[in-house]
Each structure stands twice: as structure tokens, then as C-alpha cells.
Amino acid sequence: MSGGKLHQLFEGRVRDGHDRTAVITDRDELTYGQLDARANRLAHHLLDVAHLEPGDLVAIRTLRAPDVLVAALGVLKAGGVFAIASPSRPEPKALAGARAVISNRVHSGRLTDLPDKPLILLDGHAATIEEHPADPVEAVAGPGAALLFTAGTAGQPKAVAIEHARFTAAYEAFSEVFGLLRDDRVLVTGRSDTLAFAVGWLRTLCSGATLVLTTRVPYTVADTDPTTAAALLAGPRVEGLRLMAVGGERLRLDEHLRLARRLAPGARLISVYGTTEVAGCGTWFETDQLPGPMVRPEQHAFLGQPFPGVRTKIHGKHIWLTPPDGGDAVPTGGLGQRHGTGPLEYLGKMADRFRHGGRQVNPYQIEARLVTHPDVRDVLVERSQLGQLIAYVVPEPGRPAPRLESVQAHLRGKGPASDVPSHLVGLTALPRTAAGKLDRDGLVLPAPPDAAGATRSSGKGGPVTASDVLRTVGGLMAFVAFFGSLILTDVFWPGSTDLTIVPSPWAGFFRGLYFAEHLAFAAGVGFLFAGPTLMPRTGAPRALTAAAHLSIVYLLASWWPQDNFYRLAAKQDWERQAALVYAFNVPLMLAAAVVAVWAAVQGAASRKQPSQAVLERGAGRKPGARS
């Protein structure tokens, strides 16, 4: 059906088996006929309520997978373009021009600012939607099908327009490689606002197979990411599983082989690599593509051969993919190389590179050498804020994290000396995004306790770090600031602390206030120096952390000069009163707001730990949780 529309592929499967099961969740099942009827009624409703024109954008702001399917198919049948975005996050700018928004009642409170666009609640307006006929609508569809968002691993997520032709070409390419059957039950674990889910349901429902959104029922095909794949295969062997497709992030060859050994004889394990721009249809890898055994499988990750209709290009090790429907090649942001006619080998990401030791460093190369350490299962190498290399290591199961000295000795002589990490942090698992990609930019990795780095020996069996120096200087400066403020108060503000006319016991209260101001000023000066080593950096951007640091300094240190100015200001001295308000009070409010934002970002990041459950996927739930 080359050149058709995406929803027409689905409708062909409806005609092939109206009563066949299309979707299985923990709560219920939908047949192809039921799913088609719900989408048709929604399409009629969209045309009546939103007056949808061909090519109009409709935002889907819910993550409940069955509703996402109904909404996406309904928008397509009405001739529109769908875009899925989490309702718990701010609306992406790309959705500002949406003609309508589809959601559920539980999210309606967050979606109140929708001027001139209808909000359609699939449950709240269910009775009205059900009044429409279940027959297909007569709508003209434009070339556009969806607006998908990239994972943002190379920067901010961006919106990518995908046309029907690209989706259908990708489906045909997937069909040739995957060979899905009508009797297959395909488990898709990607969250419903990700490319993985969009491609997963496309592959499944356009093949006439059953889309499975729970692990509580048997499945024959699993469409998932590396972490969830490892969790699914960690227990007893999954009976009947004949194919596992792993995408979202590359698999090292040793990881690929380890997963393959958990499958039944004859079952296939496919690694899939593709960007949003090519509808996820880029390259695929199976071990039979290798020309022979690999001596060090942990040092290699293969992207494999291009899907039918796709071409791969390597320009200066930069990987470019030609979409399955033709057109210009698009950059993937990945690095790779090809040896003869063998499979494409992965060499890292351009966005992960950084300047270190006077040159451009690709951390993937260091990680490939470090992962050959006998005690290391997985690793990320990052450059700290102070310019030092930190290795974040996941040890082999049942073993403690290797010591720094062992890691350094393992790397010496295998690359430039500047590529040897100076610090090591042990993790239980590497952090990943909702799409299953390594989360280097999420700032969820814990900062090592000595991240500032050793500078010289302390003579006490441990190194003196830059952090130690800053904290010591901060303490000394706080001491000087305390006694300096006591001495200088009457120099700068003569008479501001004169209590001779204040009766007891009130004079004692004011003396306590003055003493507290000196302490706060001293604490602020000390925090100016020691603060950068004390404030956590698990999630907030560096600029926000720096702003919060200076805000805390101001909140502490400003009370001493502020109150002395105020005590000397006449009530009718409006010029001085206004100056005091805008020099002290307003900045204090702004400083408190900055600290509040920083604390909120830190709190959100601290709840996202690298050791979180490996099955945490799909609408914030585990596979097997209720959809």
C-alpha cells in the first residue's frame, strides 16, 4: 500500500478482521472494530466542534495509551495532524497553533489557558462523542500525519513533522525486517509521548497484530529499550517470545549477546537505530551480520545495516540517514564507521564530546576502554565543572565498584594520559530518559564527594582538595567578617545601634537582633567562598545554581547594612526610603524567588535517581501497571 495514508493502513486491517483483538491493557481489550469506531466518532466530533481543516494540528495532552491511540487515529481520519505531549509539562511552543486539544478530565485543570481552541475530554465529553456515527468520515487528509518530538539528548527537544508517506514507507521497511504476523502479540513499553510508542503501534496495528500494553498477558514480540529488555529477560524465560526489538539506545555487542542468550533457541534479537526525522527507521543489527567472532565484544556497538529504502552515509565519521521515503539525508548526531561491507559500528555522539586536555575528547572512546575492566559492567565518563574527568561506574553484579587506582591502572597506556579519570563514582544503574536513552544532560548523576580534585597531600592520609581549601577560606572570612562588622558599624553608621533611650528589657532584645545581624553577615561572607562546594548539583543548571548561591549570600549578608540604613532614615525622607526599598527589600524578594526555583529543580531531580526501578516506563508506570 505504498503512498497511502497511515490511517488507511489501519483501516485495511479492520476490514481483514473486525473482531480481532487490537489492544490489550490491564483494564480491558479493544477489537479492531471497536478501536476504529471510537476513532471515527472522535473524527466526526473534531470536525463538528473544532471545524478541522486538512492539515490542522491537534494536540493530544494525555499519556493514557488507549486514549492516545483513539485520539491519534481520530485526528488522522479527520484529516488533521496529531502531536502528543505530556499534560504535566508546559505546552511546547510547537503546539501553540493547535486547532484543538484532546485530553482527559484528570488533566483539564492544567489545560485551562486555551484561548480560542476547544478542549475535548475523551471521558468528560464521552456521551456527546458517542452520539456521532461510527462510520468513517469523508475528510480530505493533507500530506502531514504527525508532529513528533525528539528525545532532546543533543539539546532541547525539537518538533519534527512526519508525513504519511514517510510513515507508510517506514512501515513497509519494518515489515520486511520484522516479519510481524497477525497472530503476534507485540509488547510495546515506550511511553506514549515517545517516538518508540508511535513507531511501535504503527508496526503493530498496521500489521493486524495485537498491541500489548501490559506484561500480565503472554506476548510473542517485545518492542522495548535496553534497560527494560534486561528486566524482562532477568526472570524465567518468556515462553513464546520469538522476537525482541531493542531501540532508544545502542547496545554494546556484549550486552546484545547477553540478552540473546536469554531468549529461546531460534528467537531473534534486533537492535534498532533511527532518529525521529526518519520515523525511527534507520538501521538494524543482528549478530549474523558480523563477518566473524569479535575478540572484545564489550568494546564494540553495532548499528548494523540500513532498513530497506534507507541509505547510510558517513561524512567525517558523522552518520547521516536518508529517510525510507527518499529525500535529503538527515544528520543523526551519531558517530560511526564501517569496515568494508560489514555492519555500521557506533562510535558515540557528537553532543557528548567536550574539550579536555587541550583537545576534543569523545567520552565513548574512554568508556569503551574502561568497560573492559573485569569489575565494570557499564560506565559513563563526564567532565566535571572544575574540568576533571569523572568515571561513573556500574559494577558487575555482585561486586563492589572498582577502586579508582584500579581503573586508572587499567587505562594507562591505552590512550592519552589526560583521558584517565581522576575521580570515580559507583552507581547501581546508569540514568536514562523516558525514551530509554542515556541521560547525560539530565544532571541526575551524583557529584563525587571530592569532585574538586586533589591538589596536594594533607599529611593526614588523604588529599587536600580545592573544596577543602574553599571551605577553610570561607570559615576564615566568616570569622573576619563577624568581628569586622562589629568594629565597622559605628564607623559607617554612627549612632545606628545607640540604645541609651531604650528601656529594659527591650534594649536587650534589640542587642540580640544586632548580634544576629552580625552572625548572618558573617555566614553570608563565609558562604560566598564555601557555598559552591556545599550546594548540590544533581539537577539544576549551572547558571541557576550560581544564581541561587549568590542569592543565599545576599539573603544572609544584607541584613546588617540594611537595618543600619533603616535606623538612620527619617520616616519622611522619601528619597532614602525608596532607595532602601529597591536596594534591599526588592532584591531580597528576588533572591528568595531564585532560591525557591533552585530548590524546586533540585527536588525534582533528587526524585529521579539512577537506581529507580528499571521497568519505570510508559506514562510513569511499570510494564504491567494499569494503563
Side-chain angles (χ1 to χ4, degrees):
M1 182 151 186
S2 179
K5 304 298 184 183
L6 177 57
H7 57 282
Q8 291 173 344
L9 286 174
F10 168 75
E11 289 169 347
R13 300 299 173 255
V14 175
R15 290 190 294 270
D16 292 342
H18 190 273
D19 295 327
R20 291 179 57 82
T21 303
V23 184
I24 298 177
T25 72
D26 272 332
R27 294 181 177 179
D28 51 26
E29 297 183 6
L30 286 175
T31 66
Y32 273 87
Q34 290 170 332
L35 180 56
D36 186 57
R38 291 188 185 183
N40 286 336
R41 290 190 174 98
L42 178 61
H44 284 287
H45 188 71
L46 280 168
L47 293 173
D48 286 353
V49 174
H51 308 293
L52 214 61
E53 297 289 338
D56 278 349
L57 179 66
V58 178
I60 301 173
R61 303 298 302 276
T62 180
L63 294 184
R64 186 173 181 271
D67 287 344
V68 169
L69 294 173
V70 171
L73 288 169
V75 171
L76 293 174
K77 286 169 174 284
V81 175
F82 71 85
I84 306 167
S86 172
S88 61
R89 298 177 183 175
E91 180 182 74
K93 293 182 179 179
L95 300 186
R99 190 65 174 263
V101 177
I102 300 174
S103 188
N104 297 105
R105 281 183 298 188
V106 68
H107 306 306
S108 59
R110 301 188 183 98
L111 305 174
T112 55
D113 188 18
L114 299 172
D116 303 324
K117 65 178 70 172
L119 173 61
I120 300 171
L121 303 179
L122 294 177
D123 46 2
H125 302 149
T128 304
I129 296 173
E130 283 292 320
E131 293 176 356
H132 292 285
D135 300 326
V137 300
E138 295 182 2
V140 178
L147 194 69
L148 303 180
F149 293 91
T150 63
T153 54
Q156 289 296 318
K158 66 177 182 178
V160 178
I162 304 294
E163 296 186 347
H164 283 278
R166 183 155 300 175
F167 267 136
T168 55
Y171 162 72
E172 292 176 354
F174 286 133
S175 298
E176 186 171 335
V177 173
F178 282 42
L180 293 183
L181 307 173
R182 291 183 61 188
D183 292 334
D184 275 325
R185 290 187 167 198
V186 184
L187 173 69
V188 175
T189 64
R191 203 171 71 176
S192 54
D193 61 341
T194 63
L195 172 66
F197 183 81
V199 174
W201 76 257
L202 177 153
R203 283 196 286 247
T204 304
L205 296 182
C206 292
S207 298
T210 299
L211 179 65
V212 177
L213 301 174
T214 173
T215 56
R216 299 177 188 272
V217 300
Y219 50 91
T220 61
V221 177
D223 193 339
T224 186
D225 61 86
T227 304
T228 308
L232 293 172
L233 299 179
R237 178 170 289 170
V238 181
E239 296 297 330
L241 181 61
R242 68 174 191 86
L243 171 66
M244 174 170 278
V246 180
E249 187 62 79
R250 50 82 186 171
L251 278 177
R252 290 198 319 266
L253 182 55
D254 65 314
E255 295 173 323
H256 190 112
L257 295 171
R258 191 159 47 240
L259 290 176
R261 285 193 291 267
R262 297 292 304 164
L263 297 174
R268 301 170 63 198
L269 177 66
I270 298 177
S271 294
V272 178
Y273 173 78
T275 62
T276 305
E277 290 83 353
V278 296
C281 184
T283 64
W284 63 285
F285 172 74
E286 283 187 283
T287 54
D288 58 5
Q289 296 177 7
L290 294 172
M294 306 296 294
V295 177
R296 287 282 193 177
E298 65 272 21
Q299 284 191 295
H300 303 277
F302 291 99
L303 304 180
Q305 304 290 351
F307 277 98
V310 177
R311 296 196 307 274
T312 57
K313 298 180 180 180
I314 309 297
H315 297 298
K317 294 190 176 181
H318 297 177
I319 303 174
W320 293 65
L321 294 175
T322 300
D325 60 330
D328 297 332
V330 296
T332 66
L335 301 170
Q337 65 183 2
R338 189 187 299 279
H339 301 287
T341 59
L344 178 64
E345 183 174 1
Y346 176 82
L347 297 178
K349 296 178 182 176
M350 294 171 57
D352 295 341
R353 299 181 300 177
F354 50 76
R355 296 288 300 179
H356 181 71
R359 63 188 184 86
Q360 189 85 341
V361 174
N362 180 1
Y364 179 81
Q365 296 174 336
I366 307 174
E367 295 159 1
R369 293 191 290 265
L370 183 52
V371 81
T372 61
H373 189 289
D375 293 334
V376 175
R377 168 59 67 91
D378 214 341
V379 62
L380 283 182
V381 173
E382 287 291 317
R383 183 179 181 271
S384 75
Q385 294 182 350
L386 296 178
Q388 296 172 321
L389 291 189
I390 306 173
Y392 295 90
V393 172
V394 177
E396 285 288 346
R399 300 183 187 177
R403 296 180 60 84
L404 174 62
E405 296 80 4
S406 175
V407 166
Q408 291 174 331
H410 182 78
L411 290 178
R412 288 192 183 100
K414 297 180 180 178
S418 59
D419 284 0
V420 177
S422 57
H423 298 86
L424 183 146
V425 174
L427 299 176
T428 58
L430 296 182
R432 295 182 182 270
T433 67
K437 296 181 180 292
L438 290 173
D439 193 5
R440 289 181 182 270
D441 299 325
L443 297 178
V444 298
L445 296 176
D450 57 346
T455 56
R456 62 180 177 83
S457 173
S458 66
K460 297 180 181 180
V464 172
T465 68
S467 300
D468 297 330
V469 173
L470 288 175
R471 284 192 288 268
T472 301
V473 171
L476 291 173
M477 293 305 297
F479 180 82
V480 172
F482 177 74
F483 287 100
S485 63
L486 288 174
I487 297 171
L488 295 175
T489 297
D490 288 331
V491 175
F492 292 149
W493 304 285
S496 65
T497 57
D498 185 5
L499 297 172
T500 55
I501 64 172
V502 179
S504 181
W506 312 114
F509 288 134
F510 284 112
R511 289 191 185 94
L513 171 65
Y514 301 158
F515 186 77
E517 290 172 354
H518 294 303
L519 286 178
F521 179 75
V525 173
F527 197 76
L528 177 64
F529 293 90
T533 69
L534 300 174
M535 296 178 71
R537 300 188 185 96
T538 58
R542 295 180 185 179
L544 180 58
T545 299
H549 167 229
L550 296 177
S551 296
I552 293 173
V553 172
Y554 190 81
L555 287 169
L556 290 168
S558 65
W559 294 103
W560 173 55
Q562 175 190 219
D563 274 6
N564 282 289
F565 273 120
Y566 266 121
R567 285 192 287 270
L568 295 177
K571 289 186 177 181
Q572 306 302 320
D573 187 354
W574 303 120
E575 182 178 355
R576 180 174 294 186
Q577 290 287 354
L580 287 170
V581 167
Y582 283 95
F584 291 102
N585 286 10
V586 172
L588 283 171
M589 299 175 199
L590 294 175
V594 170
V595 174
V597 172
W598 174 81
V601 172
Q602 289 293 129
S606 66
R607 289 190 293 271
K608 183 183 180 185
Q609 295 296 328
S611 58
Q612 64 186 342
V614 295
L615 288 180
E616 227 173 74
R617 291 291 184 267
R621 57 174 169 76
K622 297 181 180 179
R626 291 188 178 275
S627 299

